[in-house]
Structures are given as structure tokens and as C-alpha cells.
Amino acid sequence: MKDLADFKYVLDESTIVVITDPKGIITYANDNFCQISKYSREEIIGQDHCKLNSGHHDKVYIQNLWETIMAGKIWRGQMKNKAKDGSYYWIDMTIIPFFNDDGTPREYVAIRTDITRIKESEEALTQSLKEVSNYKFALDASSIVAIADRKGIIKYANDNFCKISKYRREELLGKDHRLIRSGYHPKTFIKNLWDTITAGRIWKGEMKNKAKDGTYYWVDTTIVPFLDEDGMPFQYLAIRSDITDRKKSEEELIKYSKALADKNTQLVDFCNIVSHNLRAPLVNISMLVDYIEQSEVLEDKVEALGKVKPVVNHLMEIFNELVESLQVKQDTTVKLDKVRPQASLDKVLIGFESQIGQYGAVITSDFNSAPFIYCPQKYLESIFTNLVSNALKYKSPNRNPQITIKTKDLGNAVLLSVKDNGLGINLNVHQKNLFKIRKTFHKHPDAKGFGLFMTKTQVEAIDGKIWAESIPDEGSTFFIEFKKPPR
């Protein structure tokens, strides 16, 4: 009997013990039961378990419990109960039925263990997992998401990533992000990205990527490194949002701003020309008119009137030059011709035959590398006219002019060079003004300072480039880059 008493003592001290009659009325409750339920023994004896019902379990669950123990079988399970103060607690429970000799239930012994903390931890974990799942759902629904390992190999790509890149998930997994690299960003940009995330820091920036079909798209990107116990990245989470439309709008705004700046530059040029170049002729005309009005001698009036015409002609010449240059700048629908430079040069040189013969000039050409230039024919003829004219006009007094004209195929463009052995230009002094209107660098009666300005205007109208190399007293070389149209 002592062993039985010891066993009961151990059981009462270590577990929650309740005994009920066949109807479930509590006939015994140990101290642990009173402590966890917060009911005194007097309050609980004679009551059934409805007093502890939390409402958490459905009727099927309770019915299964009763059917099991009434059939003489042991029932095991977990149950959420409600204490006297309204708080809830969880127990892991084993109910053992005991029967009379005639097989009728005598009592049920319920042995319980408090698992409230375990269940709370489980519930917290379940809630956390649910929240994480919700966050993942929200992230996947709203963003472009990819996960890569430490080497940058894609391990996960959501539907939005597949949609914008136009690759199937199977085509992305196992590949690195070079698959969608556009080539737009320099190596320093990519290096900075990798230096940042491999150091365990978050990288943020905008990237231009290339889809499977060759189209480009922009994404605002945040890359978050996940670190192991040693503080080293073991994978990277990339969260992106599509900003293609915004970038297109920005590009259009930049183009518009550039066009506006060009218009403003044209206006400034116009104002400068009016104020600087037209004022003197107009003042001269005004003075001559005043003189004619005030003079009483007919011969003096006729003489003064004869001086007006050259001034007016000079004024019209300046005005026409300005109008011509502005027309080129405003020509937004320049049609490119496939021009043979040799044919255009031959046509232009006809107009210089007397000067070439007079100066003993030698003009050679080599267009074998690029026999065609894509440019309006009238522009190319104008360019040849201005550059050849300058080479002859500013020849060296010590040698016969030698002019060499060549083309070179650059792949996506054609480079035209016009080289002479004339007076040359001191670019250290005149570099900034080389292509400005009405700027001359040598004294010559026919110098107007309009040819290089007009040439630059025409070259830029077709998105080309022009520059020069020159050494005083040795000669100059002008280079013009003509873009080829896309194939």
C-alpha cells in the first residue's frame, strides 16, 4: 500500500489529475488542477467539464472523446480549457476509463500536462508563418522578385520576373543575371553592385535590362544579402519594380529640354548676330540716308546713294546666311541619301577649277574603305565646298596646296577626313570659336566666318560629329563622322 501511496504522491506532484464519475461529474481534482484552472476544490467538485469549456473545440471532437472512453478505450489528445479568470490554457491529456465487474463505467481518470507555453509558441510560429506567407504573397503580387545564391545563380523567380523578362521560369533557374544584361551599364556600375552586396550591405539603384525578345526595360532594384552565422552572404533577394514608362518619360523630357536649349541657343545666336553684325550696316545706311536728306547738291546725293547699295547687299548677305543656318537647324525631317562621296566631290571641284590651276593645287581622294556616305546630297556638297574653299583660301604662301580627302569605315559610322598643308589654326587660342558664326582666324578679303559654322550645323542636323586637328604653318585636318542607318 505504501508503494501505491508513493505512486499517487508522485503523480499528484508532477501532473494534473482529475477523476470523474460515469456522467463526467468531477469527483476528485488535485492541487495542480486547481492551480491551473484557478478554481478551488470546493468550486469544482460536483461540476462537469462544461465549466472549463473554452469553445475552441467543435462538437465532433468532444463526441469522439466520449465515444472512445465509453467504449473502454484510452483517449489521448490536446485540449484548450478556460480558467476561472477567463484566461486560456492548453493541456496534453490522457483519459483512462475504469469499469465495474459488470462492464459498466465506474469512473474516468484524466492525467494532464500543461502545454500552454508550447501551444503559445506553436501559435506564434503559425502566425509568423502566416504573416510571412502573406508578405510573400503581397511581394509576389506587387513586385518582381528573384533569389540568387552567393554566386548569383538564380534559384527563384516569381511570375512578374518571368513576365517582364519574357523568359519561362525553367529558362531563368540555374542561370545568372547576365542572361538579362543589356550592356547599358559600365563595368564599374556592376562592380560597385557586387562589392556592396558581397560586403553584406543592401544595394539600391536603377537598372536597364534586356528581355528575351530583345526589348529593353528599366527596373528600380533593391538587393538584400542574407548572411550566415559567419556574417557571409549565402543568398541574395532582389526586389524590383518596373519603371520603364517613367524612364521613357524622362528620356522624352531630356529630348524636349535639349530641343528647347537648342532653340534658345539659336535665339541667342540670332540676337548676337543682329546686335553685332547687323548694327554696323544699319547705322551706315542710316547715316547715308541722313546725308542724302541734308545734302543740297544733287551730285553729292547721287554719290551717297551709290554707297547705299553695297551696304544693303552686305546686309542682305548676312541676313540670308542667318536664315539658311536656321533652316538647317529646324529641319527635323532630314532625309538621308546613300551618296557616293567621289561623285559629290567631282561635282564640287568643277567650281574650283580656276583656283586649282592658279595655285597649282593637288587634290587627291581615297574612298575605297567607305565608298558610300549616308547624308543629304546637298549637305555633303556644301561640306566639300566649304572645306575645299577654306583649304585653298588659307593656303601657305610658301608651297602649293595639297588636299587629301579620305573615308574610313568605322562599322556603325563613316569617318571623312579633309587634310591640307595650309596656314593651319592655333587651336590653343581658337578652339572654342572654331565653329562659331562670323569667326575668322586669318586675314583674307573673302573671309566671312560662315563656312565652318554652316558645316557644323549641317553635320549636327544628321546627328554627326565634327572636329579638327591643326598645327600653325603646317596645315589642318577636319574630321566628320557620319552615322550609318540601322539595318
Side-chain angles (χ1 to χ4, degrees), residues 36 44 81 83 136 149 159 163 176 220 233 328 377 383 402 405 418 420 445 447:
I36 195 171
I44 206 68
N81 286 340
K136 181 180 180 298
D149 65 17
D159 291 341
K163 182 178 179 181
D176 64 24
D220 187 80
V328 171
Q377 185 168 333
I383 290 167
Q402 289 190 357
I405 305 172
V418 179
D420 66 56

Side-chain angles (χ1 to χ4, degrees), residues 384-402:
F384 278 143
T385 298
N386 286 320
L387 295 182
V388 171
S389 174
N390 282 353
L392 294 173
K393 188 184 303 178
Y394 302 115
K395 65 182 182 61
S396 170
N398 303 318
R399 52 187 176 268
N400 293 341
Q402 289 190 357

Side-chain angles (χ1 to χ4, degrees), residues 281-296 300-301 303-309 311-312:
L282 288 172
V283 169
N284 199 356
I285 291 171
S286 178
M287 291 174 63
L288 288 170
V289 170
D290 287 342
Y291 179 79
I292 293 170
E293 288 177 348
Q294 294 171 10
S295 178
E296 296 179 357
D300 292 342
K301 290 186 177 185
E303 182 182 356
L305 188 60
K307 293 179 180 180
V308 171
K309 188 174 181 180
V311 177
V312 171

Side-chain angles (χ1 to χ4, degrees), residues 296-336:
E296 296 179 357
V297 180
L298 181 60
E299 289 81 1
D300 292 342
K301 290 186 177 185
V302 171
E303 182 182 356
L305 188 60
K307 293 179 180 180
V308 171
K309 188 174 181 180
V311 177
V312 171
N313 289 340
H314 179 59
L315 184 63
M316 287 301 298
E317 183 180 296
I318 295 173
F319 181 76
N320 289 334
E321 289 173 354
L322 174 62
V323 170
E324 185 179 354
S325 65
L326 289 178
Q327 284 176 342
V328 171
K329 290 192 176 213
Q330 299 209 14
D331 190 357
T332 58
T333 58
V334 177
K335 180 181 179 297
L336 298 182

